[in-house]
Structure formats: C-alpha cells, structure tokens
Amino acid sequence: MSGGMQIFKSKELKTRQEAADFLHQLAEKVAGGKVQIMQNTEEVFLNLPEEVILEVEVKNKEKGRRGMQQKLELEIKWYEGGQGYGPTEIR
C-alpha cells in the first residue's frame, strides 16, 4: 500500500481578503469540474467528477510563546467512480 505522492504544495501569507478571493475563484472552478492550479513553474490540472467528498476539519494547537494556533482545513477528494458521504452545511 502506498502513502501517496504529493504533486503540488503551496504555503504563503495572504490577507484574509486575498484568501477569500482565492477560495471564491477555486469554488467557481470546482463547480465547473476543471481546476488548474499554478505557482511559478508548477502547474496541476484536475478533472473533478460530479460527486466529491468534502472534508472540513477545525483544529487548535498550542504553539508555545506564539499561543494557540487555529486551523481550518478544507479537503476535496474523490475516487474514480466513487461517491461522497453526506451533506455538511455552513450556518
């Protein structure tokens, strides 16, 4: 069994508005089923099926002198021919 192969990773400091703008653009692409992600010379093309698994996770982690770090992770994954689980709502 393989642990998978990372094909793209990005980490950069953005303002809250810049992060929101990125997520809006990504949401439009996900809705259309085709996502192209680029950074410098790296580029990844994704074709998403009609049904995907949306995973949302919130974590707190103590970071010593810097205090509590909070993290919101959004993950979209799919299997060829697979289906999602159940609805997650934002309220």
Side-chain angles (χ1 to χ4, degrees), residues 10-70:
S10 172
K11 185 176 184 178
E12 56 188 290
L13 185 62
K14 290 187 175 291
T15 65
R16 187 176 58 227
Q17 185 60 54
E18 289 169 335
D21 291 344
F22 178 86
L23 291 172
H24 282 290
Q25 291 172 11
L26 180 59
E28 288 176 10
K29 298 296 184 181
V30 168
K34 295 186 183 302
V35 178
Q36 178 182 2
I37 300 176
M38 299 175 292
Q39 184 179 49
N40 300 324
T41 60
E42 290 187 73
E43 189 170 35
V44 175
F45 295 93
L46 303 170
N47 291 309
L48 284 75
E50 190 63 33
E51 291 187 324
V52 297
I53 299 163
L54 174 64
E55 188 174 316
V56 180
E57 187 173 339
V58 178
K59 296 179 182 179
N60 288 333
K61 184 176 184 181
E62 183 60 46
K63 297 298 264 188
R65 292 181 298 186
R66 296 190 76 180
M68 186 68 69
Q69 179 188 59
Q70 296 180 307

